[in-house]
Structures are given as structure tokens and as C-alpha cells.
Amino acid sequence: MTARCVRSVSGSLQLLLRNRWPKVYGAATCSQKHTYTPPPAQYGGRHTVTLIPGDGIGPELANHVRELFRFCCVPVDFEVVNVDSTMASEDDINNAIMAIRRNGVALKGNLETNHNLPPSYKSRNNLLRTTLDLYANVMHCQSLPGVRTRHRNIDIMIIRENTEGEYSSLEHENVPGVVECLKIITRTKSLRIADYAFRTAREKGRTRVTAVHKANIMKLGDGLFLECCKEVASGYPEITFDSMIVDNTTMQLVSRPQQFDVMVMPNLYGNVVSNVCAGLVGGPGLVPGANYGEDYAVFETGTRNTGKSIANTNTANPTAMLLASCLLLDHLKLHAYANMIRRAILSTVTETRLHTADLGGQGSTSEVVQSIMKAVESTGPRTLSL
Amino acid sequence: VGSPAFLSLQRERRCLGVCDGGQMQTVTLIPGDGIGPEISTAVMKIFEAAKAPIRWEERNVTAIKGPGGRWMIPPDAKESMDRSKIGLKGPLKTPIAAGHPSMNLLLRKTFDLYANVRPCVSIEGYKTPYTDVNLVTIRENTEGEYSGIEHVIVDGVVQSIKLITENASRRIAEYAFEYARNNQRSSVTAVHKANIMRMSDGLFLRKCREVAENYKDVKFTEMYLDTVCLNMVQDPTQFDVLVMPNLYGDILSDLCAGLIGGLGVTPSGNIGANGVAIFESVHGTAPDIAGLDLANPTALLLSAVMMLRHMGLHDYGNKIQTACFDTIRDKKVLTKDLGGNSKCSEFTADICRRVQDLD
């Protein structure tokens, strides 16, 4: 038999086997599966990243990111794709999705959804996440030293299932006046997100994973989610696993948030918990968010706000978007640049007199960005002139 | 003295000679399990000290199997509630593998308790990181995500159905605006996620808007669930009355309870069709401290105050609430969960004394 023949036989055998046996998640598979390599840097070692400015404060923040990257000589070029969220046709978002498929990575602002439009107009953000199968939304909420909040020493990593659950957008009206909305929980996706959570906890040296659910009421749906988490937990004996009901979780978060480490949950609870945690550490202007899939990654602000009311007033807090761009650089394995910019951002945040309105100060966005650039310049590496 | 028969006799006795302008009103009392009986006794003592015109009718609600095999609450309890229309309930044990559904669910279905009202007011003297909280969460209690309709489509795929109906949405919106008007509240905020769940939350929102048209004196706003959560933990003073479907209500009402200090100090009321209202404490039965005179009756007491206000007996309600808050502010006889180490009876006695002094 020729080599090619052997390869093709083994290929079809593999296909047969793959269909017959479901994937088993756990310690055994994690090591061989996920040695991540970023999308290749072409054209002189420079990466191309899709940039979707979005609505509200999105465009001005996107400009600041570009300005900062240009200043720090970061080898990233942005391919800007504008998505008009007021248009009924989905061409714009499909173009954006195609660009992300091409580049592998994206930085995006939030796209506004007018909820008074009929259901045929789907949320553009949701469409992007489900089409690209960005199954894990990761938000790391940490208390920052210069920011005054009611609770201190918070360090919670929230891993939220991003594609199914209540956000399946499957609704129908069987009888006039009675609407049914379907919440879908599948075994595959629950196992996948649980595996992602435990793997991340292990990589970051975290010791405890808490699953948030409402299985006492939604016995089958959240019961399945919880079961999958328990199954995956058995493969990670060094990590403590426990579960908590979502209403108790929110109560504990506002009284004693320091007890939480890593939290994993389905889509809607993730929305609530991540917003509560973001509020606890200082607000929507401080926390970056990342959406990871098998092949793509999209970075944005953690709480996904458009900030319509403060658009173009130069008062938005750029910290969240700039930290998201640092996560982007980490994803592209440009760690030196990421750490340099992150250090500069965190040193600026501790400066109270530069706080923007959301942190109780009177600083403007451009002042904050200027200060970050000055901080980068003072650390020494080659930059453009200010 | 102290035997169950004697105590129940005491509870059923009429409080004659209490009339100071108001006639005696009957309230069905469901002590509940665990610490239920002791906190119910505490509340009754305080009401006696305040000379409130309330006659208590104590009933038990352990589920029994009725004709046709369906679980139901005992007929004497149902008859008492239907007659008195007002109930005060302590914590009920959640049965595991008892074969019958939870008692709370049974009560909800029997009396069609469609609105769960939780006023969250910061208690002066019980310090939490949040001060000046003064909001009310009104949660639709019959449908939504908790309809309990779930199916396994194929092995490994489960669907839960969230049901939103026009009637239920309209009913809860009307109750919310009525409540706002009757309690001098300035605004009602509808909490939703219509950007994602367009049809269901969209229907809820539309009904709220329609009802808002009839209540122009109350300001109506809409806000996304995530924005409410974000703003709630940063600045809870910006919220007044919140109305929402079942799941969001569950999460948000517990979030707000956490802001003021937990379920041990939060009152709650369930409003049903036909004028029925059951007020309850939402904490657990605490079996580990049951019978040891260590329980904190604040939650049940504040729920009873809510009940008095619902019945129109505002003076008594204010008197008892003031006495309760004064005791907590004083910090001399607090129960263990509030940070002291007094007994429940001492705490109750202090409140009774203050109530009598306020007269």
C-alpha cells in the first residue's frame, strides 16, 4: 500500500471512531489538545487584527487604542470594519465575521441593539458570538489599588458560557398573548465550558471553581450543567469544586466577595454575576472582557456597554478598552508589549486626580491616554515622540 | 405552662378589650418549621404589647393528598385564609423526596400569589457597606423562567421554557404602579433583557408601557438587567420601585436583600388574586438553632409590619417598626446573627418595652 493510501484509510477510520465515541473531557485530554499558537504574523512580523469600533463610545476608544499602539510601536495593524447597527440587513456584521475569520483575532466595541425592533432583527453582538462559536467569555475582576470601592481584595475570574442558554433567541407565540422562550442547555457545550474553566484555573494556579446555577428550580437544564461540571471536576483533583445557587451567589457577592475564586456558569447568570462583580471593583470602565473560541478570539470591554449618553464627550474611561487590547496582545504572544502597556495603565489608574467621571473624578479620556503614553515613554523602550 | 396544648390555647384566645377605634381583624398565622414557632411567638408578643387589633388563627400547612391524588394544603388552612384574606408565614421546610412539591409552591398555586414584594430599606444600626438603600422589588411570581416546563429533546440537549403571558405581565405591572401610588413612590423601573429575548421580554415591556399610560403621576423607566445589576452595587439610591419577571426578580430581590444585610432582616409579601396576601420571612428554618431561643425574629416582624401597612393600620406598623429599629440601633440586646449574644426572648422583650413606651 502506498503511503497516501495508508493515510487515507487511517483518516476514514479516524472519522468513524470520532463519530462513535463522544469526547471525554478531563485531565487526560487537556494536555494534548490545547497548545495554542496565535495566528501567524505575516508581512514583516506584523499581525493584522480586525477592529470593530461599534456604537456610542466605541469609535473614540478604538481611536485611542490605535493611537497608543502606534505610539508604542506595537507590531499590530488594525483592519477596521464598521458595522452600522441601525441597518436591517446583516451584511455589515457578516463582513465583520468574515474579517475575523480571516485574521483570527478582533477588538470590538459594543453594537447597540434597538429592542423595539421586531425579533427578526437579531442582536449583532450575539450573532457574532454564536457564528464564530466564541464559547467562553472570560472576565477577570480585580480590585485596583487607586480605585475606592466598598469592598477590597476582590479577585474573581468569571467564566461564562457564551453561546447557548437563555440567549438562544428561540421564541414563538403559539397562542396570542402567550410567548414561549426556549433556554437550551446541551451536554457538549456544558462540558466544553467546564473544561475551559478548570483548565484556565489550573493554568493560572487558582484553587477553587464555583459553579453558579439554579438547579433547584430548573432541575433538568441547570441540573445537566451542574452534572457536567462535576464530571469535569473529577479530572482535576487539585482544584476544589463547589456550587452555589445564583440568588445566594449575588447575596454573597455584595456581602463577602472575597470568598470567590473562579466562577463558571451558563449565559444569563453570567451576565448578572459579571455585571455585579464589575460594579464591585469600580464600574464598567475598568474591567476588560475576552471571548474565546476554538479558532477565534474577540476582545471587548467586560460589561459590553455602548455608553450612548457619554459618547463624544471625552469623559469615557478608556481603561477597560485599553486593558482589553493588552489581553489581545497577550493572545498574540506579544507579552512584552502587553506587560509594558498594562503597567502604564495600572500606574495611571492609581492616580486619583486623573480619574474619569465614572470613578468620581474630573479627568478626561485624552488626559488619561496621554498619561499612559507618558508612563510608557518613561519606562524606556523605543516609542514615537509624544 | 409551656405545654403545646396550653400555648396553642393562648394563641387562639381573643384579645378582648383592645379596641381603640379599630375592630379586630383576623390573620391566619402559619408558624412554620425550625425556628418558625419561636419567632411567631415573638411577633405575637410584640403585637400584644402594641395592642394591635389582630386576632391570630394558627394553622398548619403540611401537604396532604386530596381526592384525585393531587397534593393540596389542609382544608382548614385554606378555609381560614379564604376567610381572613391575610396570612403571616414563617419559614417552611423544603421536602426532599417527600413526594410532594414544596409548600411554598403549593401555597402560591392555591392562592394565585402573583406578586412578590420585597421592600429593602437599610436598617440603621445594622451596618453594611451600603447605606441609604430604599427600594422595592416587585417580582412576577407565577410564570416566567420558573414555569417548570422542561424537556429532554435528545440525550444531552435540554430545553427549559420561559413563559411570558400578556395577562400576567399586565397584572404585575398594574400592581406595581398601584403600589407605587399607594406608598408615595416616585418611579417604577421595568427590568428586562429585551435586546436578547425580544418577544418574551418585549411583551412584558409593552404591557408595562401600556399600564404606565394610566399612571402618569408615577415616572416609568426601563433598564436592562445587566445595567441594573451594575448600577445597583455601585449606587443603590438611584432605584425606587423595580418590576420584573420571575427569574430576574429572584436574583435581584436577593441581591437587594444582601445589600441591607441578608435574609434575616428582609421582609417579604406575596399578593394574590381575590385580595389574598401572605407575608412571610424568606430565610431558612435554621434547624441547628431551633428551640434554643437564639433566633432573630426581625424578618418575620418586619413582614408583619408590612402586613399592618397593607391592612391600613399604619400607626401600629410605624410604632412597631420604630421600636424594632431602635432596639437594633441601640445594640444592647442583639441576637447572634446581628452581632450580639442575647437571646430571642430578650430581644423580643426589649422591643415590647419600647413599643409600650412609645404609647
Side-chain angles (χ1 to χ4, degrees):
Chain A
M1 275 211 274
T2 63
R4 197 160 61 151
C5 198
V6 169
R7 268 203 298 277
S8 69
V9 165
S10 62
S12 53
L13 260 177
Q14 220 185 28
L15 206 66
L16 205 68
L17 290 171
R18 204 183 301 146
N19 285 342
R20 201 160 286 174
W21 292 327
K23 276 195 200 150
V24 173
Y25 286 84
T29 49
C30 79
S31 48
Q32 76 220 42
K33 212 162 136 19
H34 291 274
T35 47
Y36 165 71
T37 45
Q42 294 155 336
Y43 307 118
R46 299 181 67 81
H47 294 263
T48 313
V49 170
T50 310
L51 178 64
I52 303 168
D55 299 318
I57 51 173
E60 52 189 275
L61 293 182
N63 283 336
H64 286 304
V65 171
R66 273 195 291 191
E67 199 185 315
L68 186 62
F69 275 24
R70 205 174 299 133
F71 176 79
C72 302
C73 302
V74 177
V76 165
D77 291 316
F78 286 108
E79 180 189 345
V80 180
V81 182
N82 284 308
V83 177
D84 188 354
S85 57
T86 56
M87 300 241 306
S89 102
E90 289 180 7
D91 286 343
D92 272 351
I93 193 68
N94 287 332
N95 286 339
I97 292 172
M98 191 152 54
I100 301 177
R101 282 200 216 272
R102 189 170 46 234
N103 296 321
V105 197
L107 183 67
K108 86 182 252 295
N110 200 40
L111 296 161
E112 196 192 338
T113 310
N114 182 353
H115 59 263
N116 295 315
L117 292 173
S120 53
Y121 176 90
K122 298 204 169 70
S123 156
R124 299 295 183 242
N125 305 301
N126 203 19
L127 211 54
L128 199 135
R129 291 192 291 265
T130 46
T131 319
L132 294 170
D133 200 22
L134 301 167
Y135 64 89
N137 176 278
V138 181
M139 220 169 96
H140 188 185
C141 294
Q142 269 178 309
S143 289
L144 295 176
V147 179
R148 221 165 32 100
T149 51
R150 290 183 175 88
H151 308 270
R152 305 298 317 157
N153 302 323
I154 300 176
D155 191 351
I156 307 176
M157 184 164 262
I158 299 165
I159 296 173
R160 159 190 178 187
E161 211 293 327
N162 218 0
T163 50
E164 57 169 19
E166 297 82 351
Y167 286 40
S168 315
S169 300
L170 296 166
E171 298 177 296
H172 50 263
E173 192 167 359
N174 279 333
V175 171
V178 176
V179 176
E180 285 185 351
C181 174
L182 303 180
K183 163 182 163 162
I184 311 286
I185 302 272
T186 56
R187 190 176 181 73
T188 334
K189 291 197 181 177
S190 303
L191 283 173
R192 191 168 62 164
I193 193 66
D195 186 54
Y196 184 90
F198 278 91
R199 221 177 336 110
T200 310
R202 177 178 272 177
E203 277 164 29
K204 308 260 185 215
R206 302 283 200 155
T207 50
R208 187 166 152 232
V209 173
T210 309
V212 178
H213 65 96
K214 190 86 192 161
N216 52 344
I217 307 281
M218 285 182 258
K219 299 188 170 66
L220 291 181
D222 286 351
L224 176 61
F225 181 81
L226 207 54
E227 204 186 295
C228 296
C229 289
K230 285 198 185 114
E231 211 177 294
V232 173
S234 58
Y236 293 80
E238 80 278 13
I239 298 178
T240 324
F241 171 71
D242 55 6
S243 62
M244 203 182 260
I245 301 186
V246 62
D247 39 14
N248 190 18
T249 310
T250 49
M251 232 187 318
Q252 297 290 327
L253 276 172
V254 291
S255 42
R256 221 169 39 95
Q258 297 82 5
Q259 60 181 294
F260 295 104
D261 194 359
V262 178
M263 299 168 80
V264 64
M265 60 206 91
N267 217 332
L268 185 68
Y269 313 145
N271 188 321
V272 172
V273 171
S274 56
N275 276 276
V276 170
C277 292
L280 291 174
V281 299
L286 292 177
V287 191
N291 303 288
Y292 295 105
E294 289 286 327
D295 309 305
Y296 312 107
V298 174
F299 300 90
E300 54 179 353
T301 59
T303 49
R304 302 171 177 167
N305 303 93
T306 43
K308 247 188 331 181
S309 52
I310 52 172
N312 298 320
T313 54
N314 201 17
T315 49
N317 193 339
T319 311
M321 190 58 116
L322 294 174
L323 284 174
S325 63
C326 292
L327 290 176
L328 169 78
L329 292 172
D330 274 324
H331 186 79
L332 295 173
K333 303 256 195 258
L334 296 169
H335 296 295
Y337 290 104
N339 290 331
M340 172 178 88
I341 298 177
R342 194 175 288 129
R343 261 197 305 273
I345 298 172
L346 293 177
S347 73
T348 307
V349 155
T350 58
E351 243 207 85
T352 328
R353 91 198 143 70
L354 280 175
H355 280 181
T356 43
D358 62 317
L359 295 175
Q362 282 150 355
S364 71
T365 319
S366 29
E367 275 172 26
V368 175
V369 177
Q370 285 290 314
S371 164
I372 294 172
M373 295 205 279
K374 270 209 243 333
V376 167
E377 197 180 31
S378 65
T379 58
R382 183 172 60 99
T383 57
L384 294 181
S385 50
L386 253 173
Chain B
V1 179
S3 73
F6 178 73
L7 283 173
S8 77
L9 206 61
Q10 269 209 319
R11 282 169 195 155
E12 293 248 288
R13 75 165 202 258
R14 288 162 183 267
C15 313
L16 293 168
V18 179
C19 339
D20 38 358
Q23 59 197 58
M24 294 292 286
Q25 298 195 47
T26 317
V27 168
T28 309
L29 175 67
I30 303 165
D33 310 306
I35 54 170
E38 49 198 288
I39 55 177
S40 306
T41 323
V43 170
M44 285 196 288
K45 273 208 200 103
I46 296 171
F47 269 53
E48 214 183 294
K51 302 204 188 67
I54 303 288
R55 190 182 69 218
W56 304 100
E57 256 185 37
E58 202 180 305
R59 292 287 179 268
N60 191 343
V61 288
T62 327
I64 57 168
K65 226 174 186 160
R70 263 200 0 209
W71 289 101
M72 51 183 240
I73 63 171
D76 62 338
K78 183 162 189 318
E79 182 266 336
S80 169
M81 265 309 301
D82 283 336
R83 200 173 8 97
S84 61
K85 301 282 191 207
I86 307 284
L88 184 66
K89 177 175 91 61
L92 291 175
K93 205 162 49 191
T94 323
I96 306 174
H100 64 77
S102 93
M103 291 317 308
N104 292 313
L105 189 63
L106 262 183
L107 277 171
R108 200 173 304 144
K109 288 226 148 70
T110 314
F111 299 108
D112 195 16
L113 301 172
Y114 65 91
N116 179 280
V117 184
R118 228 184 255 192
C120 294
V121 182
S122 279
I123 298 181
E124 219 182 296
Y126 187 44
K127 242 178 77 55
T128 58
Y130 299 89
T131 52
D132 301 330
V133 179
N134 188 354
L135 52 90
V136 181
T137 58
I138 298 181
R139 156 192 175 191
E140 207 292 325
N141 220 357
T142 56
E143 55 173 25
E145 296 81 350
Y146 293 2
S147 321
I149 314 170
E150 292 185 296
H151 315 107
V152 179
I153 312 285
V154 290
D155 192 24
V157 178
V158 176
Q159 90 182 12
S160 297
I161 296 190
K162 163 179 162 164
L163 203 64
I164 299 276
T165 57
E166 214 179 283
N167 290 335
S169 305
R170 195 181 335 108
R171 196 165 58 163
I172 192 71
E174 272 167 6
Y175 180 76
F177 280 96
E178 272 302 319
Y179 183 93
R181 197 179 256 174
N182 295 342
N183 291 278
Q184 290 84 44
R185 293 286 191 171
S186 50
S187 75
V188 171
T189 307
V191 180
H192 65 99
K193 260 217 97 51
N195 50 348
I196 303 291
M197 288 177 261
R198 197 70 53 77
M199 279 175 88
S200 34
D201 282 354
L203 175 60
F204 179 80
L205 214 49
R206 268 201 313 278
K207 290 293 140 205
C208 287
R209 284 180 193 151
E210 271 169 34
V211 173
E213 292 296 312
N214 301 334
Y215 291 83
K216 292 283 192 199
D217 48 330
V218 179
K219 187 165 108 128
F220 174 68
T221 47
E222 338 174 327
M223 217 187 242
Y224 288 140
L225 172 66
D226 39 13
T227 316
V228 172
C229 289
L230 190 59
N231 292 342
M232 183 75 77
V233 296
Q234 294 184 277
D235 181 21
T237 58
Q238 57 186 284
F239 296 105
D240 196 353
V241 177
L242 299 165
V243 63
M244 55 213 127
N246 216 333
L247 177 67
Y248 314 151
D250 193 6
I251 301 176
L252 271 180
S253 56
D254 278 3
L255 178 65
C256 298
L259 295 178
I260 61 168
L263 297 180
V265 293
T266 311
S268 170
N270 297 294
I271 312 297
N274 308 320
V276 171
I278 300 185
F279 298 86
E280 59 176 353
S281 58
V282 284
H283 52 73
T285 50
D288 47 337
I289 56 167
L292 300 174
D293 198 20
L294 293 170
N296 178 1
T298 309
L300 193 63
L301 185 63
L302 290 177
S303 304
V305 166
M306 219 175 127
M307 176 187 79
L308 285 170
R309 295 206 171 107
H310 180 90
M311 292 158 82
L313 300 167
H314 294 274
D315 293 335
Y316 295 101
N318 292 337
K319 202 162 61 174
I320 297 174
Q321 186 175 295
T322 315
C324 178
F325 283 179
D326 282 347
T327 307
I328 298 178
R329 192 180 318 130
D330 217 21
K331 293 201 212 286
K332 291 215 187 82
V333 267
L334 295 179
T335 50
K336 192 138 171 276
D337 62 314
L338 290 174
N341 48 19
S342 301
K343 291 195 166 300
C344 174
S345 44
E346 292 168 10
F347 183 73
T348 314
D350 199 60
I351 300 181
C352 290
R353 186 181 52 80
R354 283 181 201 271
V355 164
Q356 279 158 344
D357 288 344
L358 278 171
D359 261 331

